[in-house]
Amino acid sequence: MHKDMDALLHGLAGREDRVVTLQSALTACPALGPDNGGDGEQAKAAIIAAWLKACGIKDLVHVDAPDSRVSSGVRPNLVARIPGRTKRTLWLFGHMDVVPPGDLSAWQSDPWQVRREGDMLYGRGVEDNQQAITSMLLLAEELQQRHITPELSLGLVFMADEETGSTYGLEHVLTARSGLFSQDDLYIVPDAGSRQGDVIEVAEKGQLWLKVRTIGVQCHASTPHKGRNAFLAGADMALACHHGLNAAFDAADPLFNPPASTFVPGKHDANVPNINTVPGDDVFYVDCRLLPQVDPQAVLDRTRALADVVAERHGVRIEISVVQQQAASGLAEDSPIITALKTAVAEVYGVEGRVVGIGGATVAAQLRQRGLAAAVWSCVENTCHQPNERSSITAAIKDAQVFTHILMNSAHV
């Protein structure tokens, strides 16, 4: 088995050109979900499926979610499996959808065409989450080409809809194929980490997105006394959320960075189209990331209490509603997958793994909520959602080698 592992590690080490080929093909498919103004992930899923079939993988299942908003009518999810010497499976998860590129003038090149500078590849999606997809596909290809049966079985899940809630992605897979995953299996979500490869995410803050709608009275801007300025009241409410919620929920936990819950007014809907009108309706949103001990209902109740005060001050009505909610999640720091990752990371990257919590959300939360001990790890540049998003070719290969160590050495788990 050590001979097979050495062969896999050596083979992966020479796959730089394959990384570039894969990343280039995947980036050229703007896999934007309909909530982000796109037509879904079907084209990217076809590339991945073709690659897996070309490798000779026969156990490939489509678990597509119906969605009439995209031209194909479905949001694709692919599950590929390679049998090992035991049924116990190492599961890896990569999401196919990406976020929009944003301000194109902030990019140094076309975000939908990979640009290479030395070890770095630039383009939308190269890090989030195509580095994971590339590592997964490289490992599968290397196993198949060398006709190696791994110690553990290997499961690869390629998902839709991660960027906008996972309803059509992993949530659909978990519902439609409830018997696919076992609590004895191992789960890695390569969707967060550090440039050194030392960070292993074991906990995520709870997520609560609030919509705040202020309803006043529209009037001409030259006679503001005749109306009730919904935008002005909304701005007051945004400040009330910022100051009031941070003050009310100020507990800290050093596992997380930042260590406290956060409450961020962000997106703001358009109100009136012209300057000389006082808006009578205004909407903004608050992104709340909550430590595990913070009750989302308490946050909602406090926000509504703040709204009552602001509404009375401005003579308006303020409505608070929940857009999205996800409970905090975590796993024990001595879980087998954490032990295995620390050992493998030390072997490949030469660093000591350390556990952290994050405020962002990954599909590990859905797995953990079902009692599946999922760790989040990869070696990344942390440029996701930014202009000039980048990914290291070397990291894609070394991540695959970390997975190889775990897959081929059951003694570590």
Side-chain angles (χ1 to χ4, degrees):
M1 197 45 65
H2 286 296
K3 182 179 179 181
D4 286 342
M5 183 166 71
D6 289 344
L8 285 171
L9 295 173
H10 179 75
L12 287 167
R15 306 296 267 173
E16 289 87 354
D17 289 346
R18 294 298 265 172
V19 173
V20 177
T21 298
L22 259 174
Q23 283 274 31
S24 298
L26 295 171
T27 303
C29 298
L32 297 166
D35 290 323
N36 278 326
D39 193 39
E41 306 86 355
Q42 191 65 36
K44 184 177 283 188
I47 290 174
I48 294 170
W51 181 286
L52 292 168
K53 289 176 182 176
C55 292
I57 293 176
K58 297 179 174 58
D59 191 349
L60 178 60
V61 178
H62 292 256
V63 192
D64 297 342
D67 190 346
S68 61
R69 299 174 299 167
V70 296
S71 59
S72 65
V74 298
R75 307 292 292 280
N77 298 288
L78 300 173
V79 179
R81 290 187 284 186
I82 297 176
R85 297 181 185 274
T86 67
K87 289 185 178 180
R88 193 180 192 192
T89 301
L90 170 64
W91 290 98
L92 305 174
F93 299 80
H95 67 83
M96 297 180 288
D97 61 323
V98 300
V99 296
D103 181 5
L104 293 178
S105 67
W107 287 79
Q108 295 179 9
S109 54
D110 184 345
W112 305 116
Q113 296 294 323
V114 160
R115 172 171 60 90
R116 181 178 183 178
E117 289 188 5
D119 187 52
M120 289 294 166
L121 301 177
Y122 293 81
R124 176 52 85 224
V126 292
E127 177 178 87
D128 186 22
N129 192 219
Q130 289 167 199
Q131 179 175 312
I133 291 173
T134 299
S135 297
M136 292 157 66
L137 292 175
L138 286 181
L139 177 54
E141 183 180 55
E142 203 68 30
L143 282 167
Q144 293 295 100
Q145 285 188 351
R146 294 180 180 274
H147 306 289
I148 290 174
T149 299
E151 186 72 20
L152 301 171
S153 296
L154 178 63
L156 307 175
V157 183
F158 304 92
M159 309 160 295
D161 193 34
E162 190 272 348
E163 297 290 359
T164 51
S166 292
T167 300
Y168 300 90
L170 186 58
E171 280 291 343
H172 176 76
V173 174
L174 289 168
T175 301
R177 298 294 176 117
S178 58
L180 189 60
F181 306 111
S182 166
Q183 291 192 1
D184 189 48
D185 290 343
L186 303 171
Y187 300 88
I188 300 176
V189 178
D191 200 16
S194 69
R195 295 182 69 183
Q196 295 75 34
D198 61 331
V199 166
I200 303 171
E201 186 256 278
V202 298
E204 296 180 8
K205 293 178 181 178
Q207 182 176 303
L208 179 66
W209 290 357
L210 300 177
K211 177 181 179 181
V212 182
R213 182 186 180 193
T214 304
I215 303 168
V217 177
Q218 181 176 311
C219 68
H220 197 285
S222 67
T223 55
H225 61 286
K226 294 182 178 180
R228 295 287 185 272
N229 193 325
F231 173 56
L232 183 62
D236 193 3
M237 182 61 194
L239 289 171
C241 288
H242 173 70
H243 294 295
L245 295 178
N246 279 294
F249 304 97
D250 61 351
D253 184 341
L255 179 66
F256 294 90
N257 182 22
S261 299
T262 58
F263 308 91
V264 180
K267 179 182 176 181
H268 183 269
D269 288 351
N271 45 44
V272 293
N274 53 306
I275 295 174
N276 58 339
T277 293
V278 170
D281 201 306
D282 192 74
V283 175
F284 73 93
Y285 301 82
V286 184
D287 184 329
C288 310
R289 306 292 169 133
L290 311 178
L291 292 177
Q293 66 266 37
V294 175
D295 181 6
Q297 186 59 49
V299 174
L300 186 57
D301 292 343
R302 180 60 179 163
T303 306
R304 286 176 172 152
L306 293 169
D308 290 342
V309 174
V310 173
E312 183 176 0
R313 183 156 57 232
H314 291 270
V316 299
R317 182 160 53 93
I318 299 180
E319 299 175 349
I320 310 294
S321 57
V322 176
V323 177
Q324 185 170 303
Q325 184 173 347
Q326 181 171 285
S329 68
L331 73 157
E333 296 179 18
D334 60 353
S335 297
I337 187 58
I338 303 302
T339 303
L341 266 172
K342 286 183 176 181
T343 301
V345 165
E347 289 284 348
V348 176
Y349 282 100
V351 296
E352 182 178 351
R354 57 188 178 90
V355 296
V356 304
I358 65 171
T362 72
V363 297
Q366 282 97 332
L367 295 168
R368 293 167 185 165
Q369 286 160 11
R370 289 166 172 82
L372 307 174
V376 180
W377 173 87
S378 58
C379 181
V380 290
E381 295 290 306
N382 284 314
T383 59
C384 63
H385 295 214
Q386 298 178 20
N388 304 303
E389 178 182 350
R390 67 180 184 269
S391 173
S392 161
I393 297 171
T394 299
I397 291 171
K398 286 192 170 185
D399 284 8
Q401 291 176 326
V402 167
F403 305 147
T404 298
H405 271 274
I406 299 172
L407 186 68
M408 300 298 291
N409 196 339
S410 62
H412 290 165
V413 291

